[in-house]
């Protein structure tokens, strides 16, 4: 097998610099807001669904985030086409989430299924570009979903994030080909990473606003009843059906609908 090619631009133009700045701002926001607590736990689960959906798309599997959520919460979505395949598209999800939760701090070279080629200027390049250079080699060395899923862990091990942020799954299918214009590929990956990071930050803000709304409602309720449990359930699971709410909270179907 040919040695993988590292995508590392020799120069950073203005457009690339702006993308790097946006990524840094979004990741900085994520680092400061998802450091722990109840909202962090909920966000982490949502981010896993988001990141895994993006990895499936990069792998050429035509599933969206809503399909991953439906599978993870065993909640069928009316109108969604059934995905029939001989290969289980979700078989890598649990091992990936387990790996993301590991506490030991390893060097970024560990666990790579290939020997990375360190290009000229690697140590002087921004961490994001270093990670993309390694990601490109991983994608060329391995044809499965693992390269795309490896990026959050790689970014954490390189020191860009405090912990692996599951939403930071990004890439480009052209990474697996012999690149003619590596700068164009790197720009697309940067834009993808910007979108993933900014969407992840938006979810944190949305979850915190929803948490505050529930706190206000519970404070105003004379008889909260099942409201506390419903608040937790609605924050944890973005798709709720009356039957599921009823089973979880011990309510009748009519009671679940009112809740």
């Amino acid at each position: 097998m040919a040695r993988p090619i590292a995508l590392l631009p020799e120069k950073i133009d203005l457009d690339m610099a702006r993308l790097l700045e946006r990524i840094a701002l979004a990741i900085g926001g994520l680092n400061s807001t998802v450091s722990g607590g109840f909202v962090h736990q909920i966000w982490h689960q949502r981010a896993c669904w988001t990141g895994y959906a993006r990895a499936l798309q990069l792998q050429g599997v035509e599933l969206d985030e809503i399909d991953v959520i439906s599978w993870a919460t065993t909640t069928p979505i009316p109108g969604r086409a059934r995905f029939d395949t001989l290969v289980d598209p979700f078989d890598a999800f649990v091992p990936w989430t387990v790996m993301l939760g590991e506490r030991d701090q390893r060097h970024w070279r560990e666990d790579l299924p290939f020997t990375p080629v360190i290009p000229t200027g690697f140590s002087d390049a921004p961490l994001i570009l270093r990670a993309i250079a390694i990601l490109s080699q991983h994608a060329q060395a391995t044809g499965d979903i693992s390269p795309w899923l490896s990026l959050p862990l790689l970014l954490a091990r390189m020191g860009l994030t405090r912990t692996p942020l599951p939403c930071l799954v990004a890439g480009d299918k052209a990474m697996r080909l012999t690149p003619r214009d590596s700068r164009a590929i790197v720009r697309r990956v940067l834009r993808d990473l910007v979108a993933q990071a900014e969407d992840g930050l938006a979810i944190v803000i949305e979850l915190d606003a929803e948490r505050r709304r529930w706190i206000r409602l519970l404070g105003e309720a004379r008889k909260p009843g099942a409201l506390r449990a419903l608040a937790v359930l609605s924050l944890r699971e973005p798709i709720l059906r009356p039957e599921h709410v009823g089973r979880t909270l011990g309510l009748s179907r009519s009671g679940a609908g009112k809740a």
Side-chain angles (χ1 to χ4, degrees):
M1 184 178 67
R3 298 186 72 186
I5 301 173
L7 302 181
L8 186 67
E10 294 181 0
K11 296 181 180 180
I12 299 175
D13 57 24
L14 183 59
D15 179 49
M16 196 173 292
R18 287 172 175 167
L19 290 170
L20 289 169
E21 182 181 16
R22 286 178 62 186
I23 293 171
L25 287 172
I27 289 179
L30 287 171
N31 275 333
S32 63
T33 55
V34 296
S35 57
F38 180 65
V39 171
H40 169 259
Q41 296 174 16
I42 298 172
W43 176 86
H44 188 273
Q45 182 63 75
R46 296 271 186 100
C48 284
W49 297 335
T50 300
Y52 197 82
R54 183 65 189 123
L56 286 174
Q57 292 162 1
L58 288 167
Q59 198 63 14
V61 180
E62 296 182 359
L63 290 177
D64 298 321
E65 183 181 357
I66 190 68
D67 300 301
V68 178
I69 295 173
S70 173
W71 167 82
T73 61
T74 63
T75 305
I77 307 298
R80 297 296 295 182
R82 180 181 175 84
F83 186 78
D84 294 315
T85 177
L86 297 176
V87 179
D88 180 7
F90 303 109
D91 62 351
F93 182 82
V94 172
W96 177 56
T97 57
V98 170
M99 184 177 295
L100 291 176
E102 293 178 355
R103 296 295 182 182
D104 57 326
Q105 296 292 331
R106 301 184 184 181
H107 191 272
W108 63 263
R109 289 175 182 259
E110 295 188 52
D111 301 328
L112 292 178
F114 64 97
T115 301
V117 176
I118 305 302
T120 302
F122 183 83
S123 60
D124 297 324
L127 285 174
I128 286 288
L129 296 184
R130 292 188 227 173
I132 291 175
I134 299 303
L135 174 65
S136 67
Q137 296 183 55
H138 195 168
Q140 294 166 51
T142 309
D144 59 20
I145 198 173
S146 62
W148 317 123
L149 294 176
S150 72
L151 186 56
L153 195 61
L154 180 62
L155 293 173
R157 289 180 175 178
M158 284 187 165
L160 191 66
T161 62
R162 293 179 182 175
T163 60
L165 302 177
C167 63
L168 299 183
V169 173
D172 192 283
K173 295 177 183 178
M175 283 179 152
R176 287 194 159 132
L177 307 174
T178 302
R180 294 182 178 180
D181 186 359
S182 61
R183 294 176 66 85
I185 296 176
V186 171
R187 282 196 190 91
R188 290 198 297 269
V189 177
L190 286 173
R191 292 191 183 99
D192 192 11
L193 196 53
V194 164
Q196 293 295 102
E198 291 181 345
D199 286 351
L201 186 57
I203 292 174
V204 175
I205 296 171
E206 178 186 335
L207 284 172
D208 189 59
E210 184 70 4
R211 179 185 67 86
R212 294 175 185 274
R213 186 179 75 87
W214 275 112
I215 290 174
R216 185 177 68 255
L217 288 174
L218 289 169
E220 295 172 352
R222 293 183 178 180
K223 296 181 179 180
L227 272 181
R228 289 190 181 89
L230 179 61
V232 174
L233 186 64
S234 67
L235 286 168
R236 288 190 181 280
E237 300 187 18
I239 304 173
L240 292 178
R241 302 183 70 181
E243 297 86 350
H244 176 56
V245 173
R247 287 195 304 270
T248 304
L249 304 185
L251 302 174
S252 64
R253 177 175 293 188
S254 61
K258 293 176 182 177

